[in-house]
Amino acid sequence: QVQLVESGGGLVQPGGSLRLSCTASAFTDSRIIPGWFRRAPGKQQRELVAQFLSSGTINYADSVKGRFTISRDNAKTTVYLQMNSLKPEDTAVYYCNGRRLNSADIYWGQGTQVTVSS
């Protein structure tokens, strides 16, 4: 069973920074590609924030380009989302996920709340 454990959410003022972490032993499997999504208050759908692609490149939502950075540690068990210049509209529950290549399998973490407010 694939388990993803997120941490690092919290309350931050506009313009501040937070770093989210997502740890999963499954990330050492190169067939599982990690990413971050979020669900804003009142929204039903999760939207893409940032994700690694099988090509090795990274895809960012337009709304976070230049402010957020996705990365992973050398052991490839932890994926990070560094969030800078946070805005109130970044308030959401952030979810880590892992997509299995050539499969419909997607694994999700439990979510971590990020609130940007003064």
Side-chain angles (χ1 to χ4, degrees), residues 32-118:
I32 295 180
I33 310 299
W36 288 94
F37 285 69
R38 67 187 180 187
R39 181 186 285 130
K43 298 287 185 66
Q44 288 189 331
Q45 296 291 332
R46 282 180 281 217
E47 63 175 9
L48 170 71
V49 178
Q51 65 181 173
F52 290 97
L53 301 178
S54 56
S55 61
T57 56
I58 295 173
N59 185 32
Y60 289 99
D62 288 342
S63 60
V64 307
K65 283 181 181 176
R67 300 188 298 122
F68 291 12
T69 303
I70 187 172
S71 63
R72 59 198 308 174
D73 66 345
N74 290 334
K76 295 189 176 180
T77 57
T78 301
V79 177
Y80 303 99
L81 184 68
Q82 178 66 43
M83 305 184 293
N84 298 327
S85 302
L86 282 160
K87 305 174 181 180
E89 51 263 42
D90 294 317
T91 295
V93 178
Y94 284 71
Y95 297 89
C96 173
N97 86 344
R99 298 178 294 113
R100 184 180 293 277
L101 291 177
N102 302 317
S103 167
D105 293 342
I106 302 177
Y107 310 101
W108 294 95
Q110 80 281 4
T112 185
Q113 176 71 48
V114 172
T115 302
V116 184
S117 175
S118 54

